[in-house]
Amino acid sequence: MKRERSAGHFERAKLVMPGGVSSPVRAFNGVGGIPPFIAKAKGSHIWDVDGNEYIDYVGSWGPAILGHAHPEVVDALNEAIENGTSFGAPTELETRLASVICDAVPSIEMVRFVNSGTEAAMSAIRLARGVTKRPMIVKFEGCYHGHADPLLVKAGSGAATCGEPTSAGVTARHTIVCRYNDIDGVDRAMKAHGKEVACVIVEPVAGNMGCVLPKDGFLEGLRDATKRYGSLLIFDEVMTGFRVAFGGAQERYKIRPDLTCLGKIIGGGLPVGAYGGAREYMRQVSPLGAVYQAGTLSGNPLAMTAGIKTIELLSVPGVYEKLEQISAELTEGIERVLKDKRIPHRINRVGAMWSVFFADKPVVDFVSAAESDGAKFRDFFHFLLDGGIYLAPSSFESAFVSLAHTSEDIKRTIEVIGEWAKRQK
Ligand SMILES: *Cc1c(COP(=O)(O)O)cnc(C)c1O
């Protein structure tokens, strides 16, 4: 597969942007090689500037759950854009999306819109500190909550991929890090510091060290520990919200956090984030309360429009069953061809969110994720890319199935993985 135009674009981009990219993992440092520069996307497929076509399992890193450029979302956006792109004043669109979110997500009674998941997480922590008047936070190794200082400690996603899990210049003396799925570790940390802990923030299904599922009792344990010490429990559902169930992981696992971060899907592919929770907490956000938080483009009418239409299309009965069914078809097929060639692997999946690790032990936390075979993943990644299958360029990321993925897409993907498996000794 030729990528000459992408190579040219990449060289020029590197002169004017660090690494040639607007977000680090896109530069392919984790896997090497030239990132395809994307020209367009439609449904489950994307095309690069050299005209190569790929079946896309990145889905803009989560938002594209309907597939790309869904006609109803495009129509809604076309109509909205005629009315202007930003006003810096309230619109009815915000109330509509907020109402839909409050109805859908069990623990959210009020919500504040921001522009990214990063902002959602840093603002939720700010609120937790304001509510509790405490400084410390507990996070988990390999979880990613955006790039705010207190959260860039042992962070997953690009921070792990680039080998900068705790980035230069960041002070995070109030952050305590525990192991994912290790509730005893959390209990010990809370015993030592619980009275100073404002919040425990967690990805209820981790997606940023690859896909890692919460063990039975882990989320319940966090709920108990935070209640005991008067700390808030924050679910960062930027990835899992409207992904693992309509109401997110909190619906799927039936745990009610105090605050929830959202992003990705709720913006239907436009830049967005949100945080919300019980009225008693959200009332403390400015202008009702003393926790100041603001944004020039927050509640942007285009982002709200794309979000409203996306969630409307997700609320159709049977949608999540369909996502479950095509995702199962895919991962069962991959399992089959890898098993057939006796390639050690673990596939983790919840709904339409999954990843494959080349590991011979269960992957339950960052340490076990990092022990998986990185060289094998790189080889796998490039073979798939050249075979027209677009995965995230790092094993510390999840893959996503959308409603636009067809049985043909799934069949083709399993076929290419089968070809790769055959070449392994
Ligand atoms: C993507 C992600 C973020 C960051 O969102 P951005 O919009 O990239 O700032 C935060 N938390 C989780 C769980 C994410 O998956």
Side-chain angles (χ1 to χ4, degrees), residues 116-118 144-146 203 208 236 238-239 264 272:
S116 68
T118 294
Y144 180 69
H145 307 290
E203 291 180 66
N208 287 291
D236 181 349
V238 170
M239 189 183 288
K264 299 192 170 124
V272 91

Side-chain angles (χ1 to χ4, degrees), residues 41-294:
K42 179 79 190 159
S44 57
H45 289 224
I46 57 168
W47 287 261
D48 69 17
V49 290
D50 289 282
N52 301 307
E53 182 173 350
Y54 309 86
I55 302 169
D56 178 24
Y57 292 101
V58 178
S60 183
W61 305 86
I65 192 164
L66 304 175
H68 296 281
H70 189 287
E72 289 193 44
V73 177
V74 172
D75 284 349
L77 282 171
N78 275 328
E79 203 173 299
I81 205 167
E82 292 292 334
N83 295 324
T85 56
S86 175
F87 320 120
T91 64
E92 196 234 338
L93 293 166
E94 292 156 85
T95 317
R96 277 173 58 194
L97 185 56
S99 304
V100 168
I101 289 172
C102 292
D103 286 346
V105 183
S107 71
I108 298 186
E109 292 176 352
M110 289 179 117
V111 65
R112 165 62 63 82
F113 290 111
V114 292
N115 302 290
S116 68
T118 294
E119 269 184 77
M122 67 184 237
S123 308
I125 281 175
R126 179 141 222 284
L127 176 55
R129 284 172 165 164
V131 166
T132 59
K133 313 274 189 295
R134 298 171 178 185
M136 307 205 76
I137 67 168
V138 173
K139 80 172 285 285
F140 295 90
E141 184 177 20
C143 281
Y144 180 69
H145 307 290
H147 61 269
D149 287 358
L151 295 167
L152 266 189
V153 188
K154 303 250 171 147
S157 189
T161 303
C162 298
E164 306 286 1
T166 303
S167 67
V170 166
T171 53
R173 65 198 158 91
H174 292 310
T175 302
I176 300 167
V177 181
C178 291
R179 258 175 104 146
Y180 198 80
N181 274 328
D182 174 17
I183 198 65
D184 293 340
V186 174
D187 285 338
R188 278 196 303 277
M190 292 302 270
K191 208 164 182 182
H193 305 284
K195 296 226 158 65
E196 291 291 295
V197 170
C199 61
V200 173
I201 184 167
V202 68
E203 291 180 66
V205 177
N208 287 291
M209 45 179 141
C211 179
V212 173
L213 279 57
K215 284 186 179 164
D216 279 351
F218 177 59
L219 299 174
E220 288 84 350
L222 297 183
R223 185 60 284 182
D224 289 347
T226 44
K227 274 225 171 92
R228 261 195 327 273
Y229 287 91
S231 313
L232 302 195
L233 178 60
I234 304 179
F235 273 10
D236 181 349
E237 298 228 41
V238 170
M239 189 183 288
T240 54
F242 296 94
R243 166 64 61 183
V244 300
F246 189 64
Q250 57 195 272
E251 175 192 309
R252 193 165 181 131
Y253 295 97
K254 300 189 172 58
I255 306 287
R256 213 172 252 256
D258 299 302
L259 297 176
T260 300
C261 307
L262 293 169
K264 299 192 170 124
I265 288 174
I266 65 158
L270 275 89
V272 91
Y275 62 103
R279 227 170 268 282
E280 63 166 309
Y281 301 130
M282 294 307 289
R283 267 192 213 286
Q284 305 198 33
V285 175
S286 188
L288 291 184
V291 177
Y292 193 75
Q293 185 274 307

